[in-house]
């Protein structure tokens, strides 16, 4: 069940050379049987699904590539024991080639959301996987192009099952890299209104910080009076409430209405429910929205400010960093 090779330092293959983490040989029928039984056991006990750690390396060793086999075996176990359960892959890189029929239902979307969002907002410092190079600052169109390219390379159900995240236990905290509550809330607005499942790293909602992966794994502060950003928590709750109440945000399509260096505006639509989202990283020239072209008469604010409407044209707020969300009526 392991990959033995006397030429290796420890006599067997291990993850990144860590001897306590031997790699498994998925060519072994006995290994497959045992791993599937482990997955089934915890699903029977009430688990809703599995998130597979370092899924991009699972079943891969030298010229052997059984990643698709691993994902299909585990997907079958999930669907057999818990119909409607979920199988999510951790994947820091371009995960599109690893999405196969009957395999991973979704991934942790680092490449298709976290990285372009950080780059657009101008997140700073040596903070992404301890890479020795700074994070480039992208204009809005480059960030949008990246997000669209990843969504276009996936089946739509995979997009909807993937985790939309701004940070994790392996990165710096988003509050730290964003540099302010205002810029953090722009990211959270994007997170809660982008196709996929928002994943909030515990503590982000109260302003917890961390400069790199290990530093980000700080103990949750329970002293609300001294350490919680309660205004931030209130804004998180508003955005989460809107997300949970909206079918368009849960399953609807996305169309970009206006994009420039500092502004990203898009529509989320499903049936008769239509929402307009506006994210800005800095103050910008006013943007006129012709309501007739959008097929509506009013913009009902769900978060953020009221739009100024005159003669069928709405002038949306030009402040920034800020996030606004309206319902088209």
């Amino acid at each position: 069940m392991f990959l033995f090779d006397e030429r290796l330092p420890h006599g067997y293959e291990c993850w990144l050379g860590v001897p306590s983490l031997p790699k498994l040989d998925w060519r072994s029928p006995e290994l497959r049987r045992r791993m599937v039984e482990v997955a089934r056991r915890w699903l029977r006990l009430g688990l809703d699904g599995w998130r597979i750690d370092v899924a991009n390396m699972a079943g891969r060793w030298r010229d052997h590539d059984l990643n698709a086999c691993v994902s299909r075996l585990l997907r079958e176990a999930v669907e057999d024991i818990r119909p409607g359960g979920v199988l999510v892959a951790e994947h820091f890189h371009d995960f599109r080639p690893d999405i196969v029929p009957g395999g991973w239902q979704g991934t942790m979307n680092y490449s298709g959301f976290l990285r372009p969002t950080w780059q657009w907002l101008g997140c700073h410092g040596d903070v992404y996987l301890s890479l020795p190079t700074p994070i480039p600052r992208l204009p809005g169109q480059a960030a949008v192009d990246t997000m669209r390219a990843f969504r276009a390379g996936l089946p739509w159900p995979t997009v909807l099952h993937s985790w939309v995240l701004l940070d994790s236990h392996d990165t710096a905290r988003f509050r730290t890299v964003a540099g302010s509550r205002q810029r953090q809330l722009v990211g959270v607005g994007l997170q809660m209104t982008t196709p996929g499942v928002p994943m909030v790293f515990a503590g982000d909602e109260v302003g917890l910080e961390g400069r790199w992966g290990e530093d980000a794994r700080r103990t949750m502060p329970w002293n609300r009076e001294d350490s919680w950003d309660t205004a931030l928590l209130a804004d998180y709750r508003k955005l989460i409430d809107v997300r949970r109440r909206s079918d368009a945000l849960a399953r609807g399509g996305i169309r970009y209405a206006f994009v420039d260096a500092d502004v990203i505006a898009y529509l989320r639509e499903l049936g008769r429910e239509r929402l307009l989202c506006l994210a800005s990283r800095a103050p910008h020239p006013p943007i006129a929205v012709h309501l007739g072209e959008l097929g509506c008469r009013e913009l009902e604010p769900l978060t953020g400010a009221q739009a100024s409407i005159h003669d069928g044209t709405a002038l949306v707020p030009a402040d920034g960093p800020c996030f606004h969300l309206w319902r088209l009526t």
Side-chain angles (χ1 to χ4, degrees):
M1 290 186 283
F2 300 100
L3 297 160
F4 294 101
D5 188 333
E6 293 303 325
R7 296 170 294 179
L8 297 171
H10 305 290
Y12 56 92
E13 186 66 80
C14 44
W15 184 76
L16 297 183
V18 180
S20 60
L21 298 174
K23 279 185 67 69
L24 302 176
D25 186 353
W26 282 88
R27 295 171 298 179
S28 164
E30 179 62 16
L31 174 76
R32 296 185 194 185
R33 187 192 67 78
R34 293 194 191 189
M35 293 299 286
V36 167
E37 183 51 39
V38 168
R40 289 169 176 264
R41 175 171 181 258
W42 290 100
L43 291 163
R44 291 190 192 101
L45 291 173
L47 203 67
D48 290 320
W50 282 98
R51 172 262 192 198
I52 304 301
D53 198 49
V54 202
N56 58 295
M57 296 185 183
R60 288 185 167 131
W61 183 63
R62 297 181 181 172
D63 60 344
H64 300 294
D65 189 346
L66 297 176
N67 190 265
C69 174
V70 174
S71 65
R72 287 173 172 140
L73 279 171
L74 296 176
R75 174 76 173 272
E76 183 179 350
V78 170
E79 293 187 343
D80 181 43
I81 302 300
R82 187 164 293 278
V86 67
L87 179 68
V88 175
E90 181 194 31
H91 205 311
F92 271 94
H93 314 292
D94 186 347
F95 48 81
R96 290 171 292 181
D98 285 353
I99 300 301
V100 296
W104 314 118
Q105 288 169 288
T107 69
M108 297 176 71
N109 196 355
Y110 286 97
S111 293
F113 180 78
L114 182 149
R115 288 171 66 179
T117 299
W118 281 24
Q119 290 169 323
W120 177 62
L121 285 173
C123 297
H124 51 80
D126 174 16
V127 291
Y128 188 75
L129 291 181
S130 299
L131 294 178
T133 56
I135 297 174
R137 192 168 192 253
L138 298 181
Q141 191 62 57
V144 167
D145 287 347
T146 300
M147 295 179 185
R148 293 182 70 181
F150 272 86
R151 284 196 293 266
L154 298 170
W156 188 244
T158 303
V159 174
L160 297 183
H161 281 93
S162 291
W163 289 356
V164 182
L165 68 166
L166 291 165
D167 57 11
S168 74
H169 60 288
D170 285 322
T171 72
R173 288 273 182 175
F174 185 61
R175 175 58 171 266
T176 300
V177 298
S180 70
R181 178 198 297 159
Q182 292 73 25
R183 278 155 46 108
Q184 181 180 3
L185 281 171
V186 176
V188 177
L190 288 167
Q191 179 186 37
M192 295 297 164
T193 59
T194 291
V197 180
M199 189 212 76
V200 177
F201 185 22
D204 281 356
E205 71 280 9
V206 296
L208 200 61
E209 298 208 31
R211 293 172 292 166
W212 64 88
E214 294 297 331
D215 187 37
R217 304 182 190 192
R218 299 182 187 184
T219 304
M220 180 70 181
W222 293 114
N223 189 334
R224 301 188 181 204
E225 291 76 14
D226 296 337
S227 56
W228 283 23
D229 185 337
T230 54
L232 175 68
L233 177 60
D235 286 325
Y236 259 91
R237 284 174 167 164
K238 288 179 185 176
L239 286 164
I240 290 171
D241 183 62
V242 171
R243 170 65 172 73
R244 294 184 68 178
R245 291 173 180 268
S246 170
D247 289 336
L249 293 180
R251 298 187 300 278
I254 181 170
R255 291 192 294 150
Y256 289 92
F258 180 87
V259 179
D260 70 5
D262 296 323
V263 180
I264 299 175
Y266 50 96
L267 295 164
R268 296 296 312 279
E269 301 165 301
L270 183 68
R272 295 187 177 182
E273 184 183 15
R274 306 173 68 217
L275 305 175
L276 175 63
C277 311
L278 175 70
S280 60
R281 69 181 183 183
H284 54 87
I287 301 171
V289 177
H290 301 289
L291 300 183
E293 295 179 3
L294 294 179
C296 68
R297 296 182 178 180
E298 300 285 343
L299 295 180
E300 174 193 347
L302 299 180
T303 66
Q306 179 82 45
S308 174
I309 299 177
H310 182 69
D311 291 336
T313 298
L315 203 62
V316 299
D319 53 338
C322 203
F323 183 83
H324 303 275
L325 177 61
W326 298 275
R327 186 186 307 278
L328 278 61
T329 59

